[in-house]
Amino acid sequence: MPADAGSHGETPGRAAWDALAASALNGGDIKSLESASADGVPLGPIFERVTVDRPRAWRAAMRWETCERIDEPDPARASDDLRAAAAGGADAVEIVLVGAPRAYGLGVSLDSATDARTTIAAVDAARGPAIALSTGEDFVRDAAPLVAAVSRDLPPSVARVAFGLDPFNFADADGGAARLVAQARFARRLADEGWRGPYFVADSAPAHEAGASEAQEIAFALAAVVEIARAAEEAGLSRPRSFEATAVHLAADADVVLGVAKFRAVRLCAARIAELSDVSAAAFRIEAQASRRMAAKADPHANLLRVALAIAAAALGGADRVTPLPFTQAPGDPDAFARRVARNASIVLRDECFLARVADPAAGAGAFEAATLGLCEAAWAEFRAI
């Protein structure tokens, strides 16, 4: 018990806890345990309890979705991976196409509606895992085969398909402005045909892979959301629908404190944008993919722990959907075993470790609250600069 705690069990003050920490250092300076994130957010050994006086940021459903990445170039083999994902309990599958920003040298080749039908043959687009596309630069060409394959059997309004239109993660002299306008018109066409979407993705994973800090990653994603919403509204979608049309995509790494804080912070910043835009904060859908930047090539089995920590951080931070990367993604094409282990890690953490049983479990915890608020401030400043 700290020295200034009385015999009747009074709550010890900060000085008492500092003294305890200092005594454990054998005379060392407690400041030696203090550090800061890349954005200058303090990370110390002791944080005081925080009283939460704002609405808790959380996903719409308690249970997060487990998504499996499908990136095998051959449509028949991609179909086998998709069938295994559906049978293994995946709630969603992301079909990463050749040329997508996150293809990592792989990617499914859907050159025709026949290829698309072959790939998704094992999935009921209405009742099975949701389908998400990750498209390349020629988004109309990329999406057309899947649109034709799904609409052959189902009305668009019934199918659960996200189109993954990404305006900003390609090299353009104009920063993607022309692509954004074209994609907004295409999204309007999809909406008119009855597809529910979301149509766009505000994907900050490429920025993360390039070395962006947590606040920079949040700012990049939210700036993309706002620009996409403006373009979608100009193309004819309502303002609420313009925000609902985009999924926010962040990377999750093995730093649990900053990871939880990052996903909580993006929700709070999104809620502020929603307030300023006169839309519901529920319009924002936050998705996570395990970081490729953190993965080891030489010793890939160490990635098993890294991916598990990333899943936990994103899920505890409130991500709606989590996509674990197979532990052999970095050194090469992952096999069926690596895909199954990644999928099961998310399912076990959610359904057997019960990480989805408590809404916002970090609420009130000093370290997480301090990191969340620090990232909010830093991300908001970066967002306004963009």
Side-chain angles (χ1 to χ4, degrees):
M1 179 180 294
D4 69 347
S7 59
H8 299 293
E10 294 91 338
T11 301
R14 174 62 185 262
W17 288 109
D18 284 349
L20 269 183
S23 67
L25 296 175
N26 293 322
D29 187 352
I30 191 173
K31 291 188 178 298
S32 65
L33 300 178
E34 297 176 355
S35 63
S37 75
D39 298 297
V41 175
L43 302 170
I46 297 174
F47 290 89
E48 297 179 27
R49 180 178 297 173
V50 174
T51 301
V52 180
D53 58 357
R54 63 184 183 279
R56 293 184 177 187
W58 199 243
R59 55 181 161 259
M62 290 291 289
R63 185 180 185 271
W64 74 83
E65 296 178 356
T66 296
C67 181
E68 180 159 342
R69 175 187 163 97
I70 307 296
D71 53 12
E72 170 59 49
D74 178 63
R77 292 180 62 186
S79 180
D80 291 339
D81 290 340
L82 199 153
R83 183 177 292 104
D91 304 293
V93 290
E94 180 185 16
I95 301 175
V96 182
L97 302 182
V98 173
R102 289 185 287 110
Y104 308 144
L106 300 171
V108 185
S109 298
L110 298 185
D111 296 324
S112 66
T114 300
D115 288 342
R117 285 195 296 273
T118 298
T119 301
I120 66 170
V123 172
D124 182 335
R127 292 181 293 274
I131 297 173
L133 275 181
S134 185
T135 61
E137 283 196 84
D138 194 341
F139 52 90
V140 176
R141 182 203 65 193
D142 286 349
L146 187 75
V147 167
V150 174
S151 58
R152 179 186 181 190
D153 302 316
L154 286 171
S157 60
V158 174
R160 297 189 300 152
V161 178
F163 290 89
L165 304 178
D166 185 347
F168 300 118
N169 281 307
F170 299 93
D172 293 283
D174 64 356
R179 183 184 301 104
L180 174 59
V181 172
Q183 287 188 355
R185 292 171 179 164
F186 183 54
R188 171 63 190 272
R189 192 183 98 193
L190 292 171
D192 289 344
E193 292 173 0
W195 298 94
R196 292 181 293 172
Y199 313 120
F200 300 93
V201 60
D203 188 2
S204 67
H208 170 86
E209 301 301 337
S213 68
E214 287 80 12
Q216 289 170 336
E217 190 181 346
I218 293 169
F220 180 90
L222 293 180
V225 168
V226 171
E227 287 300 304
I228 291 168
R230 287 172 175 159
E233 192 171 1
E234 289 178 5
L237 296 180
S238 67
R239 177 169 292 186
R241 192 77 181 94
S242 296
F243 280 95
E244 292 169 357
T246 305
V248 180
H249 195 116
L250 302 178
D253 62 22
D255 188 327
V256 175
V257 173
L258 282 176
V260 171
K262 178 167 72 173
F263 283 90
R264 297 177 82 240
V266 74
R267 284 245 185 243
L268 292 172
C269 289
R272 178 62 176 150
I273 290 172
E275 180 184 7
L276 294 172
S277 305
D278 197 26
V279 298
S280 170
F284 287 83
R285 178 176 176 80
I286 312 297
E287 300 179 354
Q289 176 183 284
S291 166
R292 188 166 177 263
R293 185 175 85 181
M294 71 174 177
K297 290 184 178 180
D299 183 16
H301 286 86
N303 297 332
L304 290 165
L305 179 58
R306 293 187 179 98
V307 171
L309 290 170
I311 296 167
L316 293 173
D320 295 290
R321 176 179 291 175
V322 177
T323 304
L325 287 184
F327 70 94
T328 55
Q329 186 81 47
D333 187 10
D335 60 13
F337 173 74
R339 294 178 187 278
R340 178 167 61 87
V341 170
R343 178 177 67 243
N344 286 348
S346 177
I347 293 171
V348 167
L349 286 171
R350 183 190 65 199
D351 298 340
E352 297 184 28
C353 298
F354 307 119
L355 295 195
R357 289 291 184 92
V358 177
D360 201 5
F368 291 102
E369 291 287 8
T372 298
L373 294 178
L375 285 181
C376 278
E377 293 173 1
W380 196 257
E382 292 277 3
F383 167 72
R384 293 186 66 189
I386 294 172

